[in-house]
Amino acid sequence: MMHAFATLGPLATVLIACTSAAATEKLDRGLIAVRRPDGSVYVGWRLLASDPKDVGFHVFRAPADSAPSERLTAEPVRNATNYVDSSARDTADPKALRYSVRAVDDGRDNPISDAVSPIDERKDAAFVRIKLAGNYDAQKCAVADLDGDGKYDYVIKQPDFNVDPYEAPGYWKKSEGTCKIEAYRSDGTFLWRHDMGWSIEEGVWYSPYVVYDLDGDGRAEVYAKAGEGDPRDADGRVTSGPEWLIQIDGLTGQVKRRLPWPDRSGFEKYNYYCRNLLGVAYLDGKRPHLI
């Protein structure tokens, strides 16, 4: 494993994660079960890039955590990644049911997925709810697997306050605080907080971050812009001081490495033309690149 760096003129640096094979996320089946108004249960799951073309799926149901599961499908489900359990209408306590799936290819059974209980689309919120570690609103949220368990975790940026670089009279406003990046496991467990500091003004224009597994170890890293100290001018603008691209360990929050951010020289109005963008692309069709 190695990294290569290339600069595209004065404006962009490309970080290439060099791997021996095409890189893909290592995700689980992402299984969900939803109880529908007629009492049936919809079960859906992911088709993975590693699945063969002829893959099929068996669906299993257990009446409770400790009870053995029964196979609901006589033949594997093919050409689809969902199944409707109509027999669940006769279940006294549908929320006690536990559903799982197993991929079948060439007659071979693969490991069975983690089991899930159905939510009720008439009563339950059809979204994931996690409790933030403080009294604030999140501005942005990224999803990636930080701990290597195949489930999407969450990396948020807070607070929900935005400094806009527009320079019309009376429009500019100083940052009220500093941006923080926070990580949470898929179950909502708080992992860590990274304070971006006063060198990064609040708002989407100045505080880019992306979350992706560039090194191919199965755990995503966090990449963000960084500075040093408090270089704000009297009016609150940051127009001087060193700037960096940093790599943050997705599980621990530790800054693992940093690279110089593209130079700000040559921009007549630095605060307006602020060069603060990050993105991930498979530029060669095989490996992820950070731009």
Side-chain angles (χ1 to χ4, degrees):
M1 183 70 61
M2 66 177 183
H3 290 88
F5 305 96
T7 299
L8 306 180
L11 298 182
T13 298
V14 178
L15 167 61
I16 306 173
C18 298
T19 58
S20 58
T24 59
E25 291 182 297
K26 299 175 178 64
L27 299 176
D28 65 8
R29 288 292 168 192
L31 186 66
I32 61 168
V34 182
R35 182 173 169 84
R36 306 196 302 181
D38 66 357
S40 64
V41 173
Y42 169 90
V43 185
W45 57 90
R46 288 190 184 106
L47 181 69
L48 304 177
S50 58
D51 289 330
K53 292 182 179 180
D54 62 346
V55 68
F57 299 92
H58 277 307
V59 182
F60 298 82
R61 187 184 73 188
D65 284 345
S66 59
S69 60
E70 61 174 327
R71 198 178 76 186
L72 299 178
T73 46
E75 296 293 331
V77 176
R78 301 188 186 275
N79 302 316
T81 55
N82 56 73
Y83 175 85
V84 176
D85 178 18
S86 299
S87 63
R89 297 189 184 101
D90 303 324
T91 304
D93 184 11
K95 283 199 172 185
L97 299 175
R98 302 281 288 171
Y99 288 90
S100 54
V101 297
R102 170 179 282 154
V104 179
D105 59 89
D106 292 332
R108 297 173 298 185
D109 282 339
N110 293 287
I112 198 165
S113 72
D114 291 340
V116 299
S117 295
I119 63 172
D120 192 330
E121 71 174 8
R122 298 168 298 181
K123 300 177 182 179
D124 299 327
F127 53 83
V128 175
R129 186 191 302 272
I130 64 173
K131 183 177 178 60
L132 299 179
N135 184 23
Y136 47 78
D137 293 328
Q139 185 189 68
K140 296 291 182 181
C141 180
V143 293
D145 183 6
L146 302 178
D147 53 15
D149 67 353
K151 297 180 174 62
Y152 274 141
D153 305 302
Y154 308 97
V155 181
I156 73 157
K157 186 175 66 176
Q158 58 96 352
D160 187 18
F161 178 84
N162 193 47
V163 172
D164 195 293
Y166 187 52
E167 295 184 346
Y171 194 86
W172 169 260
K173 54 186 177 183
K174 297 180 181 180
S175 295
E176 295 181 348
T178 60
C179 282
K180 287 89 173 174
I181 301 174
E182 297 180 350
Y184 298 81
R185 289 188 188 271
S186 58
D187 63 1
T189 301
F190 176 75
L191 289 175
W192 51 262
R193 175 180 293 132
H194 171 78
D195 194 324
M196 302 182 82
W198 288 109
S199 60
I200 303 297
E201 292 160 276
E202 285 186 309
V204 296
W205 295 90
Y206 306 98
S207 53
Y209 76 104
V210 295
V211 187
Y212 208 83
D213 180 16
L214 282 181
D215 60 17
D217 67 351
R219 297 195 300 110
E221 312 89 52
V222 180
Y223 296 88
K225 187 182 179 184
E228 294 181 15
D230 185 355
R232 290 174 297 166
D233 296 340
D235 62 357
R237 290 179 170 87
V238 176
T239 58
S240 64
E243 296 180 303
W244 309 95
L245 166 67
I246 59 172
Q247 176 188 346
I248 303 172
D249 185 277
L251 188 58
T252 67
Q254 295 180 339
V255 176
K256 305 296 289 186
R257 63 186 307 184
R258 70 180 188 179
L259 293 171
W261 192 265
D263 188 75
R264 61 163 56 90
S265 62
F267 291 89
E268 182 180 353
K269 294 182 178 180
Y270 166 71
N271 200 65
Y272 193 73
Y273 306 105
C274 46
R275 313 160 296 113
N276 297 329
L277 298 172
L278 284 173
V280 173
Y282 281 70
L283 298 179
D284 62 358
K286 296 181 179 180
R287 302 168 299 174
H289 300 63
L290 179 67
I291 304 176

